[in-house]
Amino acid sequence: MESQSNSLFHRIRQNYDYFFLISLIFGLMGTILFHRAGMGLNSFLFTIIIVVLFIFITKKLNISFTKWVLFCLITSILLSLSNVLTSSWKLQFLNNIGILLLLDTSLIQLLSERKSLGFFDNIKNILLLPFKAISSIGLIFVEGNRFVKDKKIIKNDKFRNILIGCMIAIPLMVITTALLSSADMLYGKIAKSMFEWLLYRDFYRIIIKIILGTLVCYCLLYGVTKETAVTVKEKTKASPTIGITISSLLLLSYALFCGIQIFYLFAGGIFVLPKEFTYADYARQGFFELLTVTGFNITLILICENVFEENKFLKGILTAITACSYIMIASATYRMILYIGAYHLTFLRLLVLLFLLIDSLLLAGIVLSLYNKTFPLFKYCVVVISICYLIFSFSKPDYYIAKYFLAHTDTNELESEDIYFLTTDLSYDAATLVVPLLEKHNDSRNLYQIDKYCKPLISDTKDIRDYNYSYMKAKKLLKDNLSFNKVD
């Protein structure tokens, strides 16, 4: 009897015209919304379109949305909405990564055979999906040829074969031309001028983007359903003695480290730091190494749980490592707070605090999964990361970074580097705080930075596709300050 995943794979192949049309709509809409446009309303609209395409795909394949898939799709829509509300490229970059991962998770959850996968299986499927999609590129041409032949769209076999040959030859020509260009300077110069003539024409760029978008969508559908019906054998787990030995030795090292943290960092002066250290230096030293060890501990616990046989003593040691990890997280958080107190708040430092919060919540779920094998750890991790990051994304951190900076700085004595930080490191999310200050410090020392900050708002080239609320709010604020309209 044919498995579900194979039937889905074959049904997609059999309905080539339907799924090719879905993929073509994906490519067309992506090109229309993003060609020569920034990030804004188009991100929200495109995510909505993808969700609608998901609905059409599931209807055709007779698949129902689960609550888990709905959560992932709704979260991806909310992240795309955040792209409309913020002008921070850092947030938009992180939002887009989140959208991509959530949509991939939804696709895998809908079209994979086994719905209740373990934590590592889910991670593996997400990581392998791009490679499975790339390996499926040839299928779109094979199935396209079969469809055209069966439907007799192109009756002349010779002409059809020529078209197929051209489609296969074009990417090969690009590769060989690049190699030959390196071998001969004159040939390279001629080839470069030809490609520039083609690629600098908007028409060709649009066609290429539509083709790439169509290929990506169709290959993802093939990739997620292909080769998923593998019979999963029961894994033979290793002896827990190995895990106990590894984790016990690490626990000894962690216990010593945690003792130092309690006596020196948290004790409030019971023990004195060496003379060569200030608290700010001590707080910064080893912070990222500490963060790495915390991440390593989470990975170690997951691996021990997955690789070694269940053992009460091993569970106890891993629980103790978890407790040490919490002390490490507390140490890292305290170090970062000390460092922020000395050197102010930045986006990266705020993001690190978010990671530490997420780490602490993930550890709680990992400990629960140690004692309860039915605990849905992967879903728990996705929900925790999604909710924490959504709150962070919608809070517009640049505004609070500026607010913290100004609360701890004499605004009458701002230096040029302070103006640089406010206008370059922060987005227009902080404009309500920054613009009044720029008017106050509009002198020759800061003219270049003020001009650089204001020019994009004055010479506005945005259209409805990349409409951005934060950007437009800053633009209105700048127009209300008449002195800035004189900036060239």
Side-chain angles (χ1 to χ4, degrees):
M1 185 177 173
E2 196 176 41
S3 68
Q4 182 193 3
S5 63
N6 268 339
S7 66
L8 290 177
F9 179 67
H10 290 303
R11 281 157 66 188
I12 290 172
R13 295 182 70 176
Q14 289 163 4
N15 294 279
Y16 177 85
D17 52 344
Y18 185 88
F19 290 102
F20 181 80
L21 180 60
I22 292 281
S23 304
L24 183 61
I25 292 169
F26 178 91
L28 274 169
M29 295 312 299
T31 304
I32 290 168
L33 290 171
F34 291 101
H35 180 68
R36 290 189 178 279
M39 187 65 61
L41 185 61
N42 46 12
S43 174
F44 178 70
L45 293 175
F46 191 54
T47 308
I48 294 289
I49 289 167
I50 292 173
V51 172
V52 172
L53 293 178
F54 265 67
I55 293 169
F56 279 104
I57 290 167
T58 52
K59 290 287 185 185
K60 187 68 175 179
L61 297 174
N62 296 319
I63 299 170
S64 301
F65 279 166
T66 62
K67 291 179 181 178
W68 171 238
V69 171
L70 283 173
F71 171 82
C72 291
L73 293 177
I74 290 169
T75 306
S76 64
I77 291 171
L78 289 174
L79 284 176
S80 66
L81 179 61
S82 176
N83 281 340
V84 185
L85 300 176
T86 181
S87 59
S88 169
W89 69 266
K90 299 167 192 173
L91 271 184
Q92 289 176 343
F93 175 75
L94 293 172
N95 289 346
N96 290 335
I97 291 175
I99 292 167
L100 181 63
L101 290 174
L102 287 165
L103 291 175
D104 283 354
T105 302
S106 302
L107 193 63
I108 292 167
Q109 196 67 26
L110 281 170
L111 301 183
S112 65
E113 178 191 10
R114 294 185 303 129
K115 301 301 180 185
S116 55
L117 296 171
F119 182 86
F120 283 104
D121 288 329
N122 278 292
I123 298 295
K124 182 181 74 175
N125 282 341
I126 291 170
L127 294 176
L128 289 179
L129 182 56
F131 300 100
K132 287 184 177 181
I134 290 168
S135 69
S136 305
I137 288 175
L139 281 170
I140 192 170
F141 299 107
V142 172
E143 292 305 316
N145 179 47
R146 180 190 59 77
F147 177 78
V148 170
K149 192 174 181 180
D150 290 348
K151 299 294 182 179
K152 297 183 179 180
I153 295 172
I154 300 176
K155 295 181 180 179
N156 190 312
D157 287 349
K158 190 174 182 180
F159 180 63
R160 186 181 67 253
N161 292 333
I162 290 171
L163 283 178
I164 294 168
C166 288
M167 286 189 288
I168 296 170
I170 288 171
L172 295 176
M173 281 179 64
V174 172
I175 295 168
T176 53
T177 302
L179 293 171
L180 292 172
S181 297
S182 301
D184 187 282
M185 288 178 65
L186 181 59
Y187 178 84
K189 190 174 181 181
I190 295 169
K192 184 181 177 183
S193 61
M194 289 174 62
F195 274 103
E196 282 181 348
W197 185 85
L198 285 171
L199 296 176
Y200 278 100
R201 299 293 184 275
D202 247 14
F203 173 76
Y204 294 108
R205 286 184 177 183
I206 291 168
I207 294 299
I208 289 169
K209 287 178 181 178
I210 292 171
I211 292 171
L212 286 175
T214 305
L215 280 172
V216 165
C217 183
Y218 209 99
C219 290
L220 281 171
L221 292 174
Y222 272 149
V224 78
T225 55
K226 190 175 70 169
E227 297 174 358
T228 54
V230 179
T231 304
V232 179
K233 296 179 181 178
E234 188 67 30
K235 293 179 182 177
T236 304
K237 293 191 174 184
S239 169
T241 308
I242 302 170
I244 291 167
T245 305
I246 296 168
S247 54
S248 296
L249 291 172
L250 286 171
L251 181 59
L252 288 174
S253 174
Y254 292 159
L256 175 62
F257 178 85
C258 291
I260 292 170
Q261 303 311 294
I262 292 167
F263 290 140
Y264 282 94
L265 198 61
F266 302 145
I270 294 176
F271 289 86
V272 180
L273 288 175
K275 289 181 181 179
E276 62 269 23
F277 285 108
T278 65
Y279 265 102
D281 292 333
Y282 186 67
R284 187 170 189 266
Q285 188 186 47
F287 170 80
F288 287 104
E289 289 86 347
L290 186 58
L291 199 62
T292 303
V293 172
T294 307
F296 169 76
N297 289 347
I298 291 175
T299 308
L300 173 71
I301 295 167
L302 288 170
I303 290 173
C304 285
E305 185 184 1
N306 192 59
V307 171
F308 301 114
E309 291 176 1
E310 191 172 348
N311 181 278
K312 290 182 179 179
F313 193 52
L314 178 59
K315 281 183 182 179
I317 296 171
L318 293 177
T319 305
I321 287 177
T322 303
C324 289
S325 298
Y326 272 113
I327 294 174
M328 291 177 187
I329 289 171
S331 173
T333 304
Y334 188 47
R335 286 167 185 257
M336 182 51 70
I337 290 169
L338 286 175
Y339 193 66
I340 289 169
Y343 299 105
H344 296 303
L345 197 59
T346 64
F347 184 87
L348 180 60
R349 291 165 196 165
L350 201 56
L351 191 63
V352 164
L353 290 176
L354 174 69
F355 285 159
L356 289 168
L357 171 63
I358 290 172
D359 271 358
S360 64
L361 294 172
L362 294 186
L363 270 171
I366 290 167
V367 171
L368 280 172
S369 71
L370 276 175
Y371 294 94
N372 181 4
K373 295 300 178 185
T374 61
F375 183 75
L377 181 59
F378 178 76
K379 291 182 180 180
Y380 171 82
C381 291
V382 173
V383 170
V384 164
I385 294 169
S386 298
I387 292 173
C388 289
Y389 180 74
L390 272 174
I391 294 169
F392 177 77
S393 183
F394 276 93
S395 70
K396 296 189 177 180
D398 279 355
Y399 173 83
Y400 292 99
I401 292 167
K403 190 173 182 179
Y404 181 91
F405 179 83
L406 297 175
H408 294 82
T409 309
D410 185 356
T411 56
N412 295 316
E413 300 294 334
L414 287 180
E415 301 293 334
S416 296
E417 55 266 26
D418 297 328
I419 298 296
Y420 180 87
F421 170 74
L422 292 169
T423 57
T424 304
D425 288 9
L426 303 183
S427 67
Y428 293 122
D429 291 357
T432 51
L433 298 173
V434 173
V435 170
L437 277 176
L438 296 185
E439 188 171 17
K440 189 176 180 180
H441 294 274
N442 189 11
D443 52 43
S444 57
R445 291 180 308 157
N446 305 313
L447 190 60
Y448 174 76
Q449 280 306 127
I450 293 173
D451 181 60
K452 189 178 176 183
Y453 184 82
C454 297
K455 237 178 183 177
L457 296 172
I458 294 169
S459 55
D460 183 19
T461 57
K462 289 183 177 288
D463 58 38
I464 188 64
R465 293 178 301 164
D466 51 6
Y467 170 85
N468 184 279
Y469 173 78
S470 177
Y471 181 89
M472 297 306 294
K473 186 178 178 181
K475 182 179 175 68
K476 184 179 183 302
L477 186 66
L478 196 66
K479 282 183 178 178
D480 292 341
N481 289 269
L482 298 177
S483 60
F484 283 101
N485 292 333
K486 296 177 182 178
V487 178
D488 297 325

